[in-house]
Amino acid sequence: MSFDGMFTHSMVNELNQNLTGGRIAKIQQPFANELILTIRSNRKNQQLLLSAHPSYARVQITKQPFENPAKPATFVMSLRKYITSAIVQGFHQLNNDRIVMIELSAKNELGDIHEYTLITEIMSRHSNIFLINKETGKIIDLIKRVSPENNSFRGLLPNDDYKLPPKQDKINPFTASQDDFNGLESAGDIRQKFEGIGLDTSDEIFADIDNAQKFIQSYDSPAPNAAHVIKNNKLGFFPILFSKTTKDPVSYESLSDLLDNYYLDRARVDRIEQQTKSITHRLSIILKKDKSKVKKLNKQLDQTKIMDEYNLYGELLTTYMSKIERGSKSITLTNYYNNEEVKIKLNPEYSPSDNAQSYYKKYRKLQNSIPHIKEQLEITTNEINYLESVLASLEYVDIEDVDGIIEELIESGYIKKKLKNGRKKRKKTVGEKFMTTNGIEMVVGKNNIENDKLTMKLAQKNHYWLHVKDIPGSHVILKDSDPDESSIVEAAQIAAYYSKARDSNKVPVDYVQVRNIRKPNGAKPGFVIFEGQKTILVDPDRKLVSKLKEG
């Protein structure tokens, strides 16, 4: 299901229950399209996420951690000026459209109370967030400014009059009667007639259209039946259980918890991409060059296979030199190793001796080139494996681990260190800690430098080391000399989760005592070799990760 008008209706109800009457304590804009309002309500702080992301636009309470950028954006500075300490008067939805309005009242520096409306329009790539002066109806500021040349329908700049998006002439399903649904012949007819109904919702309504109104009213209070399910082999989120769901749902206590889990990987990867776009572009260019170099080196290595023939030609020409006529372009001689006839090309300008020496020279040149080619092939292949492991780690690490990967790339010489960096430095702890169900501590490296430190310096020789087989991933140290089978399985599931195979099933994971691991001289960070390992197949499990994580 998409974040359609029906889902918006349920979410607005949830936000009113939790945040109305609260006070805005903090305003952040951690990413270009996302806003975080920390609202003090019911004696606790709650984070309200307003997103105008082109793919993940939504409004929800979130428990995910966010960091402030070093330099605040213009929009967040405007919000801090006008609505810091504002009281949330309430949330409402425009009919059944994906437009959420937050009514706010705030005092200015003179103590006068002013009314504002913070509007989130959820419209795919046209999504936007506005702060409106309720008294004048003008836009104070907005998260995405659009020039008049690119939008002729309405002004999307500060001081423009706020104008609603183009209205669709459709019925609000929450004010409709059962009679309004009678006679409709398809799910498409439902979407055509009623406002804010998505594809999945219309299919569900049409499956039992005689009870359409009853189904729609269930959106007024969906929790705790909010479900994160697999529907028709596709991951989806639903505010209530749909009868057409084909697999067992995973239920959550609130719609916001549901969205936190549903968007956990999607939004995380997107945010990491925003932060590391220039870095990944640079690494991708190096990776492309390396792969091209490997092809050339393998081609050169293939060419050396002919060197034994050159050595044979030189040897035969030396043996049968008296039979060679000066000025000949070729000669056929008997190979005395297998009694087969061999035709050898000659340079007519060379003497028989010079022709023989010419083949010996080609042989020695190719022979001498092999060690260099193999050395370069090993160096380049190792670099490819390393870069692929770094790029893969950006797909499964958390947003707060990105700084560690950037430091790793600086130390490895792939990117330059900036002279000034306003970002807060993370505490220098190595790895993330987990505890198995049976009480054995585990530590997971979040970048290749941490992997090296964990495995080669901090782990004891009798501890167990785990890593996905032949796939980029984190090193996992299980701090026990004789772990039980259940703990090994859980550690393997953690290793599979923190790897490129996170979304796979039956992931092979190697495990072995640390004493059987060594790091070759000059090897890239994170690269080790080992022997005597065992391998088990496990399924990555996000819920297990949350359960076993300390703190």
Side-chain angles (χ1 to χ4, degrees):
M1 180 177 180
S2 61
F3 202 112
D4 63 4
M6 303 292 290
F7 195 98
T8 304
H9 178 92
S10 295
M11 179 57 75
V12 166
N13 288 343
E14 179 173 296
L15 296 177
N16 272 317
Q17 291 171 14
N18 287 277
L19 300 178
T20 295
R23 182 185 295 274
I24 296 176
K26 190 176 181 181
I27 304 172
Q28 301 167 267
Q29 189 180 341
F31 303 100
N33 300 314
E34 294 179 335
L35 189 70
I36 297 290
L37 304 180
T38 302
I39 299 176
R40 183 72 178 175
S41 178
N42 299 321
R43 298 183 180 181
K44 62 180 180 180
N45 289 336
Q46 299 188 74
Q47 292 186 136
L48 176 64
L49 167 64
L50 307 179
S51 175
H53 191 282
S55 300
Y56 312 131
R58 63 198 187 279
V59 179
Q60 66 166 106
I61 297 170
T62 181
K63 296 175 183 175
Q64 298 302 316
F66 295 91
E67 287 187 12
N68 264 329
K71 184 178 179 182
T74 303
F75 182 54
V76 80
M77 293 299 290
S78 296
L79 295 180
R80 289 172 180 173
K81 177 180 178 182
Y82 289 99
I83 63 171
T84 296
S85 298
I87 301 298
V88 178
Q89 301 294 345
F91 297 78
H92 71 267
Q93 176 186 17
L94 181 66
N95 299 317
N96 197 43
D97 205 349
R98 294 180 298 170
I99 298 176
V100 178
M101 300 182 173
I102 310 173
E103 303 300 339
L104 305 168
S105 60
K107 291 182 180 180
N108 63 13
E109 59 272 12
L110 300 176
D112 299 324
I113 296 178
H114 291 277
E115 305 292 328
Y116 303 96
T117 306
L118 190 59
I119 302 174
T120 304
E121 296 179 354
I122 302 170
M123 300 186 299
S124 300
R125 64 188 181 91
H126 298 297
S127 298
N128 215 329
I129 304 172
F130 303 81
L131 179 64
I132 309 298
N133 185 324
K134 198 171 180 180
E135 297 158 10
T136 64
K138 289 188 177 294
I139 300 172
I140 296 174
D141 210 343
L142 64 166
I143 203 165
K144 296 179 185 176
R145 300 184 181 189
V146 182
S147 62
E149 307 91 70
N150 296 323
N151 182 42
S152 59
F153 178 77
R154 58 175 180 162
L156 292 174
L157 293 172
N159 295 318
D160 285 338
D161 291 327
Y162 176 71
K163 188 177 180 181
L164 289 168
K167 190 177 186 306
Q168 294 181 321
D169 188 21
K170 294 183 179 182
I171 300 172
N172 182 346
F174 289 95
T175 61
S177 67
Q178 181 60 45
D179 289 340
D180 291 316
F181 290 89
N182 295 336
L184 297 180
E185 297 181 353
S186 68
D189 288 346
I190 294 174
R191 295 194 300 274
Q192 191 68 29
K193 185 174 182 177
F194 296 96
E195 181 183 32
I197 295 182
L199 183 64
D200 289 313
T201 311
S202 63
D203 288 344
E204 189 71 14
I205 292 172
F206 187 71
D208 189 14
I209 198 165
D210 291 337
N211 291 303
Q213 190 182 34
K214 180 180 179 181
F215 173 80
I216 287 169
Q217 296 307 318
S218 65
Y219 276 78
D220 286 332
S221 53
N225 292 321
H228 177 183
V229 305
I230 302 292
K231 185 175 187 297
N232 298 329
N233 296 319
K234 186 178 180 182
L235 191 65
F237 60 87
F238 300 82
I240 57 178
L241 294 177
F242 278 21
S243 63
K244 294 173 70 68
T245 300
T246 57
K247 289 191 178 181
D248 294 334
V250 179
S251 297
Y252 295 91
E253 287 300 314
S254 69
L255 300 181
S256 293
D257 285 347
L258 179 155
L259 293 181
D260 259 356
N261 279 273
Y262 180 80
Y263 284 111
L264 184 63
D265 283 335
R266 291 163 176 78
R268 175 185 58 78
V269 170
D270 179 75
R271 290 163 184 158
I272 289 173
E273 285 177 352
Q274 288 182 45
Q275 284 196 2
T276 61
K277 189 174 182 179
S278 61
I279 294 171
T280 54
H281 178 68
R282 175 175 174 77
L283 296 186
S284 296
I285 290 174
I286 298 172
L287 196 58
K288 185 177 180 180
K289 289 181 178 178
D290 281 348
K291 288 181 176 180
S292 177
K293 184 177 179 179
V294 165
K295 286 183 179 179
K296 291 178 181 177
L297 289 169
N298 279 323
K299 188 175 180 180
Q300 291 174 13
L301 199 59
D302 285 340
Q303 289 174 348
T304 64
K305 293 176 181 177
I306 201 173
M307 69 178 185
D308 288 333
E309 292 185 27
Y310 290 161
N311 186 48
L312 175 65
Y313 294 165
E315 187 177 333
L316 293 177
L317 291 176
T318 301
T319 302
Y320 299 110
M321 193 170 294
S322 60
K323 293 184 178 181
I324 303 172
E325 294 183 9
R326 193 178 184 93
S328 299
K329 293 183 178 181
S330 65
I331 190 172
T332 300
L333 300 172
T334 301
N335 180 356
Y336 39 74
Y337 290 111
N338 55 19
N339 292 321
E340 292 181 357
E341 297 295 307
V342 178
K343 186 175 182 180
I344 303 173
K345 289 184 179 180
L346 302 174
N347 186 333
E349 296 181 1
Y350 286 1
S351 67
S353 177
D354 288 340
N355 271 295
Q357 291 304 315
S358 174
Y359 278 113
Y360 280 132
K361 186 177 181 181
K362 288 179 181 179
Y363 165 74
R364 287 191 296 271
K365 183 178 180 181
L366 289 175
Q367 187 183 45
N368 293 335
S369 72
I370 290 176
H372 175 73
I373 293 173
K374 287 184 175 179
E375 180 186 12
Q376 288 300 308
L377 197 55
E378 183 180 4
I379 292 171
T380 310
T381 301
N382 288 340
E383 183 173 61
I384 288 172
N385 292 335
Y386 172 71
L387 294 177
E388 286 181 340
S389 76
V390 172
L391 291 172
S393 69
L394 292 173
E395 298 178 15
Y396 61 79
V397 299
D398 297 323
I399 189 73
E400 60 266 26
D401 300 314
V402 171
D403 284 349
I405 294 175
I406 292 174
E407 289 176 15
E408 173 190 332
L409 291 171
I410 291 171
E411 288 187 26
S412 299
Y414 286 98
I415 57 176
K416 293 181 180 179
K417 185 176 183 178
K418 293 183 180 179
L419 295 177
K420 291 183 180 180
N421 189 348
R423 294 176 65 93
K424 295 180 181 178
K425 289 188 176 180
R426 297 173 62 231
K427 187 179 178 181
K428 291 290 184 179
T429 56
V430 178
E432 186 167 1
K433 293 183 179 179
F434 296 81
M435 192 71 71
T436 70
T437 304
N438 291 332
I440 301 175
E441 185 179 326
M442 292 182 285
V443 188
V444 179
K446 290 305 191 73
N447 57 63
N448 285 309
I449 289 178
E450 285 194 357
N451 287 337
D452 273 357
K453 288 180 180 177
L454 281 176
T455 303
M456 307 311 300
K457 294 182 180 180
L458 300 180
Q460 295 180 16
K461 295 298 182 183
N462 60 351
H463 288 166
Y464 272 80
W465 175 92
L466 299 95
H467 191 282
V468 286
K469 187 178 182 67
D470 301 328
I471 300 173
S474 294
H475 292 200
V476 175
I477 300 298
L478 186 59
K479 294 187 172 183
D480 196 280
S481 61
D482 187 22
D484 58 280
E485 185 177 349
S486 173
S487 294
I488 291 175
V489 171
E490 288 180 345
Q493 287 178 288
I494 296 292
Y497 182 81
Y498 286 102
S499 78
K500 193 171 176 127
R502 172 176 289 188
D503 297 321
S504 305
N505 296 318
K506 304 301 178 188
V507 178
V509 176
D510 291 331
Y511 67 97
V512 68
Q513 281 191 308
V514 174
R515 69 175 77 256
N516 295 316
I517 296 173
R518 66 183 182 88
K519 187 173 183 67
N521 292 333
K524 292 285 185 183
F527 179 78
V528 295
I529 56 178
F530 49 93
E531 59 186 5
Q533 74 276 13
K534 295 180 180 178
T535 305
I536 58 172
L537 298 177
V538 295
D539 294 333
D541 188 339
R542 177 185 294 166
K543 284 201 166 184
L544 180 71
V545 172
S546 301
K547 175 185 173 184
L548 301 183
K549 187 176 290 188
E550 289 191 343

